[in-house]
Amino acid sequence: AEGCRGARPMQVTLWMPGGGDPLGKGGKALFADVLCQEGGDGLFRLYSTSAAPSLPLPPASLEGYVLRAGEGSISAISRGAAGLYYALVTLTQLCEGGEFPALEIEDYPIFAMRSDYLDLRNIYPKFDNLMAFIEEMSQYKLNTLVVEWEDKIPFDAMRKLRHKTQAFTEAQLARLQQVCRDHFIELIPLQQAFGHLEYALKMPEYIQLRELPTTPGEMCPLRGGSFELAAGLISDTAALHPESRYLHLGCDEVWSLGQSEACTASGKTREQISHDFLNRLLADTCRLGQIPHILPYSVPYTHSL
């Protein structure tokens, strides 16, 4: 961006119907002189001429844009802030050689959700590296990040489950969420339902919830207290992500599901056990105001969720 600023010291205007600090930041990183204006016709625009040029309407997607460059001028238009942000990303990539090529681009996503997945169960990235990773994601126009927090989230009500040394602080979580907003990336927390719960089921007060004594990460859905633990984890996770529309319920690799005394005595199949438990958690997630995500093939041999 610094090289572009030196090569193209032009003045540009950013028209933003409702304002938008991320767009202002993106424009100022690319151009030496940026005038930010609010208002207009509901479309997001960038242009280097004295008045907004006529451009074809961008695709219906709020993330699509039309970009035109050439003859010493630049213009872009989008129906949404994210679309104009992606136009700025494209301009940044185009000017890496120092000059904008003459071109016209109509760009829009085929998939509404373009995501990456960060598993914090066994890796501990440096916080600054994680922030840089999120910025790099936006350069590929990814718009969602699923984070499997495990015990790295700064639990509040479930504070005793925080990792003693690697858990994020409240300030770090707030910073992570802000960086995601700045780069038009939606953060989707992942909370496990009854698998990969080693960090909880190793504690004396939860050991009795294991499916089998030898499965430290797998919780039996039919044991008393299991739903309360899972619901508590989901509630705490939701409260820490008030801006997230979605909450992903993990239910993978519960290989011993259905083998406990409680499960075998119930007479239910492992599919019935998982369905009943997950339906309660799905309802609880909706009650918290978030849309649950779940992969139907996560529970082994279960394909009808």
Side-chain angles (χ1 to χ4, degrees), residues 59-166:
S61 168
L62 296 178
E63 296 179 309
Y65 63 89
V66 174
L67 169 65
R68 182 182 293 165
E71 298 181 355
S73 67
I74 296 169
S75 56
I77 185 172
S78 177
R79 298 178 187 270
L84 195 59
Y85 174 79
Y86 291 139
L88 288 168
V89 168
T90 297
L91 280 171
T92 301
Q93 295 165 342
L94 288 172
C95 77
E96 288 180 350
E99 290 290 334
F100 295 114
L103 50 78
E104 182 169 317
I105 295 174
E106 180 183 286
D107 187 17
Y108 57 92
I110 296 175
F111 299 106
M113 185 174 289
R114 306 174 304 282
S115 188
D116 204 347
Y117 163 65
L118 179 63
D119 186 350
L120 294 177
R121 290 181 299 148
N122 300 308
I123 62 171
Y124 312 110
K126 292 183 178 180
F127 187 74
D128 289 344
N129 290 345
L130 179 54
M131 299 304 99
F133 170 72
I134 292 171
E135 182 176 358
E136 184 176 359
M137 281 179 58
S138 73
Q139 305 306 300
Y140 295 97
K141 301 183 174 68
L142 301 180
N143 65 357
T144 52
L145 175 62
V146 178
V147 179
E148 183 165 358
W149 284 104
E150 205 196 38
D151 55 353
K152 312 312 181 302
I153 194 172
F155 285 121
D156 184 16
M158 310 289 286
R159 181 177 292 266
K160 62 185 175 182
L161 295 180
R162 289 189 188 188
H163 194 285
K164 294 186 182 301
T165 60
Q166 299 295 337

Side-chain angles (χ1 to χ4, degrees), residues 63-288:
E63 296 179 309
Y65 63 89
V66 174
L67 169 65
R68 182 182 293 165
E71 298 181 355
S73 67
I74 296 169
S75 56
I77 185 172
S78 177
R79 298 178 187 270
L84 195 59
Y85 174 79
Y86 291 139
L88 288 168
V89 168
T90 297
L91 280 171
T92 301
Q93 295 165 342
L94 288 172
C95 77
E96 288 180 350
E99 290 290 334
F100 295 114
L103 50 78
E104 182 169 317
I105 295 174
E106 180 183 286
D107 187 17
Y108 57 92
I110 296 175
F111 299 106
M113 185 174 289
R114 306 174 304 282
S115 188
D116 204 347
Y117 163 65
L118 179 63
D119 186 350
L120 294 177
R121 290 181 299 148
N122 300 308
I123 62 171
Y124 312 110
K126 292 183 178 180
F127 187 74
D128 289 344
N129 290 345
L130 179 54
M131 299 304 99
F133 170 72
I134 292 171
E135 182 176 358
E136 184 176 359
M137 281 179 58
S138 73
Q139 305 306 300
Y140 295 97
K141 301 183 174 68
L142 301 180
N143 65 357
T144 52
L145 175 62
V146 178
V147 179
E148 183 165 358
W149 284 104
E150 205 196 38
D151 55 353
K152 312 312 181 302
I153 194 172
F155 285 121
D156 184 16
M158 310 289 286
R159 181 177 292 266
K160 62 185 175 182
L161 295 180
R162 289 189 188 188
H163 194 285
K164 294 186 182 301
T165 60
Q166 299 295 337
F168 282 46
T169 65
E170 288 83 352
Q172 287 176 323
L173 176 59
R175 176 61 180 157
L176 170 66
Q177 292 167 331
Q178 182 61 55
V179 170
C180 284
R181 285 193 295 271
D182 287 348
H183 294 87
F184 292 89
I185 291 174
E186 184 169 7
L187 184 62
I188 300 177
L190 187 157
Q191 182 52 250
Q192 290 287 348
F194 43 53
H196 291 303
L197 289 174
E198 291 89 347
Y199 68 96
L201 299 181
K202 69 182 180 182
M203 294 189 169
E205 59 265 46
Y206 296 128
I207 285 179
Q208 75 278 5
L209 301 183
R210 295 180 183 182
E211 183 74 34
L212 297 173
T214 55
T215 58
E218 301 171 33
M219 184 170 69
C220 172
L222 297 185
R223 294 194 189 278
S226 290
F227 177 78
E228 289 73 18
L229 173 58
L233 293 171
I234 290 169
S235 177
D236 223 357
T237 300
L240 289 167
H241 296 80
E243 297 181 7
S244 298
R245 291 181 298 165
Y246 304 100
L247 196 154
H248 187 103
L249 301 180
C251 54
D252 57 311
E253 298 184 345
V254 282
W255 309 113
S256 62
L257 178 65
Q259 298 180 37
S260 71
E261 300 91 336
C263 287
T264 54
S266 72
K268 296 181 178 180
T269 65
R270 63 205 310 257
E271 287 80 10
Q272 290 173 317
I273 294 168
S274 63
H275 289 190
D276 292 346
F277 190 69
L278 290 172
N279 282 336
R280 293 177 68 190
L281 293 178
L282 292 172
D284 215 46
T285 304
C286 293
R287 180 184 59 80
L288 295 170

